[in-house]
């Protein structure tokens, strides 16, 4: 039974905002099409203008920005005042619509996808079906994907280390993207098939994602030393732009998509740890003090009874969540549980990132050793890693769900470290990756959020996705194939659209323009919301 819930001012605001954008985009496409149908008049000054436009388009094609937005369109957008742009848009000025056709197309596509989310999850236009777990099918599908990936996308990389200049490739980008990809596939299959027996493994995967948040952000800030407002805004945009609109359109709490607030929190903590007194980051004692301070903050917030509730209670409006199936739980229970499970692992990621150059230099020396000594050292490392992993598996992993969760915050670093050791112990292993999984690893945020609404179904605001979206009722495998294809395609497009719109609205080196864009967003959203609120009150 579908329960879409009451219509909210946020949903009405979204519709009121997206409709003129969609109309503007359609009109801009017609203008662009008509421009090529109208022949050039001989000896006309307009010819020079149109020829200039054509030359400018050719330059744009050579200078595509990330996500497919032309450079000239981006520059023109930022060089005009916000108020002027709004007036030109509302008046449907032809030149403005043509200049920003790519932006209007991206915004329209993004809005259409969100409407598709609503249709799939909150209407009865499409059916739903129950989840069914079959271990044999689960393993078959995953192993088949690995085989296909190995046969079609195994690639060798010859990237050089920025530290040593050699092809050490320890924890390189290809490897971490692949790591995220194969974990994400299992994570999604766990949800789709309700594979409850791998619950503990899923906890490890989520810990590994958080570990990479600490590792990746520390590496960036420590090496680049870029603590600019623009970089911070881009980071927040990447993590929260898409999910914010999902919360508005689907009328869900932010905490339903708990991965987003978790990664936002730990990203902010890494940013704060390295940003405060950043000029002393090169001093070892200062860095040790910063890392110790991170441990202390986490200990005080999560280990001291009552401290968590006191600190986070003012943000209950943002981080609170009430599961319709468990209405008696405290609003902050979900946030406490989710963030607490991985409260230390992001700091472990920071530590590994700090010692990454040291480990790379050690590995470089190891590769230069004589063969017998190199093999003996590597054999010892692998043996220890396998033994530790086996002990962890027998003593910790095999515990029941509730008992395992008690140990997880203090032990999740063990399987992560074991995996890193086994994945990097030879140069051959380090230099290859499965690019299919690496590609999937780049869109993990989009696949995580999208699964709730166009692959699975919750059927109600704030509901957990307990059902499967059924486009072909009665044919579960055909339905799985079709919904998965659409789901992955849409997730990839959302990744590209998020980056495209980030290029437009979050300039990299213009804080004044960034601030103006922020104020303009509030100036547009607030009147829309107030008007929608009044409209709904009148209707009721």
């Amino acid at each position: 039974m579908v329960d879409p819930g009451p219509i909210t001012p946020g949903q009405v605001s979204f519709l009121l905002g997206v409709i003129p954008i969609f109309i503007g985009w359609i009109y801009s496409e017609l203008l662009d099409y008509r421009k090529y149908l109208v022949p050039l008049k001989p000896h006309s000054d307009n010819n020079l203008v149109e020829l200039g436009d054509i030359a400018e388009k050719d330059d744009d094609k050579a200078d595509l920005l990330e996500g497919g937005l032309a450079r000239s369109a981006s520059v023109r957008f930022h060089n005009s005042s916000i108020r002027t742009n709004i007036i030109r848009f509302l008046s449907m000025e032809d030149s403005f619509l043509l200049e920003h056709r790519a932006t209007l197309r991206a915004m329209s596509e993004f809005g259409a996808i969100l409407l598709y989310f609503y249709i799939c999850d909150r209407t009865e236009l499409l059916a739903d079906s129950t989840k069914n777990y079959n271990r044999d099918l689960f393993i078959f599908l995953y192993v088949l994907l690995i085989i296909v990936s190995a046969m079609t996308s195994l690639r060798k990389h010859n990237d050089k280390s920025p530290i040593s200049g050699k092809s050490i490739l320890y924890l390189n980008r290809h490897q971490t993207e692949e790591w995220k990809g194969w974990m994400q596939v299992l994570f999604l299959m766990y949800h789709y098939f309700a594979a409850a027996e791998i619950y503990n493994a899923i906890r490890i995967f989520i810990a590994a994602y958080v570990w990479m948040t600490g590792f990746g952000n520390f590496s960036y800030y420590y090496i680049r030393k870029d603590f600019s407002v623009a970089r911070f805004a881009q980071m927040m945009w990447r993590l929260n732009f898409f999910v914010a609109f999902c919360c508005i359109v689907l009328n869900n709490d932010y905490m339903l998509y708990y991965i987003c607030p978790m990664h936002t929190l730990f990203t902010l903590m890494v940013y704060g740890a390295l940003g405060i007194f950043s000029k002393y980051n090169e001093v070892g004692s200062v860095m040790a003090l910063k890392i110790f301070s991170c441990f202390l903050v986490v200990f005080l917030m999560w280990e001291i009874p009552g401290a968590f509730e006191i600190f986070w209670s003012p943000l209950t409006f943002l981080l609170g969540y009430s599961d319709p199936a468990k209405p008696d739980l405290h609003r902050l229970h979900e946030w406490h549980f989710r963030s607490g499970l991985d409260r230390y692992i992001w700091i472990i990621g920071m530590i590994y990132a700090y010692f990454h150059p040291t480990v790379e230099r050690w590995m470089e020396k190891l590769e230069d050793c004589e063969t017998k000594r190199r093999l003996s050292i590597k054999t010892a490392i692998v043996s220890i890693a396998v033994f530790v992993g086996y002990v962890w598996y027998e003593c910790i992993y095999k515990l029941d769900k509730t008992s395992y969760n008690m140990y997880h915050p203090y032990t999740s670093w063990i399987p992560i470290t074991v995996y890193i050791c086994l994945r990097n112990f030879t140069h051959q292993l380090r230099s290859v990756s499965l690019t299919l999984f690496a590609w999937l690893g780049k869109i993990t945020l989009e696949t995580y959020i999208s699964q709730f609404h166009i692959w699975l179904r919750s059927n109600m605001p704030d509901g957990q996705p307990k059902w499967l979206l059924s486009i072909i009722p009665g044919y579960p495998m055909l339905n799985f194939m079709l919904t998965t294809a659409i789901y992955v395609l849409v997730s990839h497009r959302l990744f590209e659209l998020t980056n495209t719109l980030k290029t437009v609205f979050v300039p990299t080196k213009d804080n004044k323009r960034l601030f103006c864009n922020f104020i303009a967003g509030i100036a547009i959203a607030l009147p829309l919301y107030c008007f929608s609120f009044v409209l709904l009150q009148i209707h009721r």
Side-chain angles (χ1 to χ4, degrees):
M1 186 68 179
V2 176
D3 177 19
I7 298 174
T8 66
Q11 292 170 331
V12 177
S13 301
F14 172 78
L15 279 177
L16 292 177
V18 80
I19 289 173
I21 290 172
F22 185 77
I23 294 172
W25 167 59
I26 294 295
Y27 185 46
S28 72
E29 295 290 351
L30 292 174
L31 290 172
D32 184 70
Y33 178 72
R34 189 174 63 185
K35 187 168 63 173
Y36 290 100
L37 292 181
V38 178
L40 296 178
K41 297 179 181 179
H43 309 297
S44 171
D45 290 339
N46 291 335
N47 292 354
L48 298 176
V49 176
E50 295 194 13
L51 288 172
D53 289 342
I54 294 171
E56 189 176 83
K57 282 192 173 186
D58 289 337
D59 290 339
D60 288 347
K61 289 177 182 178
D63 293 319
L64 288 180
L65 295 177
E66 181 182 23
L69 185 69
R71 186 179 299 275
S72 60
S74 179
V75 170
R76 281 194 298 269
F77 185 91
H78 292 310
N79 286 342
S80 302
S81 72
I82 299 297
R83 184 172 62 180
T84 302
N85 281 330
I86 294 174
I87 294 172
R88 293 175 70 194
F89 171 72
L90 293 177
S91 62
M92 291 292 170
E93 183 181 310
D94 291 4
S95 60
F96 176 84
L97 296 178
L98 285 170
E99 288 171 6
H100 303 294
R101 185 164 57 94
T103 304
L104 291 170
R105 181 170 61 242
M107 295 171 73
S108 298
E109 186 178 354
F110 184 78
I113 290 173
L114 288 172
L115 289 175
Y116 176 66
F117 275 36
Y118 189 89
I119 290 170
C120 289
D121 194 33
R122 299 297 163 81
T123 70
E124 295 183 347
L125 294 176
L126 297 172
D128 56 49
S129 58
T130 57
K131 298 179 181 181
N132 181 34
Y133 177 60
N134 182 297
R135 183 188 295 174
D136 180 50
L137 177 63
F138 185 93
I139 297 173
F140 166 76
L141 290 173
Y142 191 66
V143 172
L144 179 63
L145 181 61
I146 292 175
I147 293 171
V148 171
S149 180
M151 293 176 63
T152 61
S153 70
L154 183 65
R155 295 290 183 274
K156 184 174 182 179
H157 309 286
N158 297 309
D159 300 6
K160 303 294 183 182
S161 167
I163 300 165
S164 65
K166 296 186 177 182
S167 298
I168 298 299
L169 297 173
Y170 168 61
L171 279 175
N172 59 80
R173 185 62 177 267
H174 307 289
Q175 184 186 129
T176 54
E177 295 289 7
E178 176 203 74
W179 187 3
K180 288 194 292 184
W182 69 256
M183 288 193 303
Q184 185 72 355
V185 171
L186 279 173
F187 180 62
L188 296 172
M189 290 176 66
Y190 161 78
H191 282 158
Y192 192 90
F193 293 103
E197 67 177 354
I198 64 166
Y199 172 88
N200 292 354
I202 299 304
R203 297 273 67 82
I204 295 298
F205 297 163
I206 296 173
Y209 289 130
V210 177
W211 179 92
M212 280 186 253
T213 294
F215 181 86
N217 282 292
F218 183 98
S219 298
Y220 178 87
Y221 292 122
Y222 188 73
I223 295 172
R224 300 286 185 87
K225 300 176 175 59
D226 179 11
F227 299 95
S228 63
V229 175
R231 166 65 185 176
F232 177 81
Q234 289 177 337
M235 184 171 52
M236 291 298 104
W237 179 285
R238 177 75 185 96
L239 288 171
N240 293 293
F241 170 73
F242 174 36
V243 72
F245 276 93
C246 284
C247 291
I248 293 169
V249 174
L250 280 304
N251 190 24
N252 285 330
D253 286 333
Y254 184 38
M255 263 309 297
L256 178 67
Y257 315 94
Y258 66 89
I259 293 292
C260 297
M262 265 180 55
H263 283 280
T264 299
L265 170 65
F266 298 131
T267 297
L268 288 173
M269 294 182 82
V270 176
Y271 180 85
L274 271 71
I276 299 172
F277 301 116
S278 58
K279 62 181 179 180
Y280 299 110
N281 284 344
E282 301 291 341
V283 181
S285 58
V286 173
M287 186 54 64
L289 180 61
K290 287 188 173 188
I291 291 174
F292 173 77
S293 299
C294 290
F295 276 113
L296 182 61
V297 168
V298 170
F299 178 83
L300 293 175
M301 189 175 298
W302 275 274
E303 307 288 357
I304 305 299
F308 185 91
E309 287 74 15
I310 293 173
F311 183 86
W312 291 107
S313 289
L315 293 176
T316 301
F317 72 96
L318 179 65
L319 298 170
Y321 172 71
S322 296
D323 187 344
K326 303 173 183 177
D328 297 332
L329 293 177
H330 189 271
R331 288 273 294 166
L332 286 175
H333 173 270
E334 187 76 1
W335 176 232
H336 189 195
F337 173 70
R338 298 294 183 182
S339 61
L341 281 173
D342 299 307
R343 56 185 179 269
Y344 290 113
I345 196 64
W346 63 278
I347 310 177
I348 305 299
M350 289 174 61
I351 295 171
Y352 282 33
Y354 180 72
F355 286 105
H356 182 271
T358 304
V359 174
E360 234 184 29
R361 286 192 292 268
W362 179 84
M363 293 177 71
E364 180 185 341
K365 292 179 180 178
L366 178 62
E367 294 297 337
D368 291 335
C369 288
E370 59 179 5
T371 305
K372 185 177 179 179
R373 186 180 181 190
R374 182 173 68 250
L375 290 176
S376 62
I377 293 174
K378 288 185 176 182
T379 302
I381 293 172
V382 171
S383 300
I384 293 171
V386 170
F387 174 74
V388 172
Y390 174 76
V391 172
W392 168 84
Y393 176 79
E394 288 292 331
C395 299
I396 305 295
Y397 180 81
K398 293 173 75 172
L399 293 172
D400 64 90
K401 173 180 175 178
T402 305
S403 300
Y404 175 81
N405 284 340
M406 294 175 59
Y407 291 98
H408 176 81
Y410 314 104
T411 61
S412 60
W413 63 274
I414 297 174
I416 291 172
T417 305
V418 169
Y419 174 80
I420 292 171
C421 290
L422 298 180
R423 184 66 176 81
N424 290 274
F425 83 96
T426 70
H427 178 73
Q428 289 75 17
L429 278 174
R430 293 194 299 271
S431 61
V432 297
S433 70
L434 299 175
T435 55
L436 174 59
F437 283 123
W439 180 79
L440 290 170
K442 293 178 181 178
I443 58 173
T444 51
L445 182 66
E446 287 73 23
T447 52
Y448 167 73
I449 297 171
S450 299
Q451 64 166 325
F452 284 77
H453 310 297
I454 61 171
W455 204 42
L456 312 174
R457 285 187 64 155
S458 59
N459 290 341
M460 66 182 71
D462 290 329
Q464 294 295 323
K466 297 180 179 179
W467 295 271
L468 307 177
L469 176 65
S470 181
I471 299 177
I472 312 177
Y475 296 88
M477 296 311 298
L478 287 176
N479 183 73
F480 172 70
M481 178 186 68
L482 179 60
T483 55
T484 301
I486 296 172
Y487 160 61
V488 174
L489 173 63
V490 169
S491 297
H492 182 251
R493 283 302 300 152
L494 284 166
F495 170 76
E496 293 182 329
L497 292 170
T498 300
N499 285 326
T500 298
L501 296 175
K502 180 182 69 176
T503 303
V504 177
F505 296 110
V506 189
T508 55
K509 297 180 180 179
D510 191 345
N511 289 343
K512 182 179 178 181
R513 178 61 60 185
L514 177 61
F515 179 73
C516 289
N517 288 349
F518 177 72
I519 296 300
I522 295 175
I524 294 171
L526 193 59
L528 272 178
Y529 184 86
C530 292
F531 178 74
S532 301
F533 180 80
V534 172
L535 198 65
L536 286 176
Q537 293 301 315
I538 293 173
H539 180 265
R540 291 167 183 168

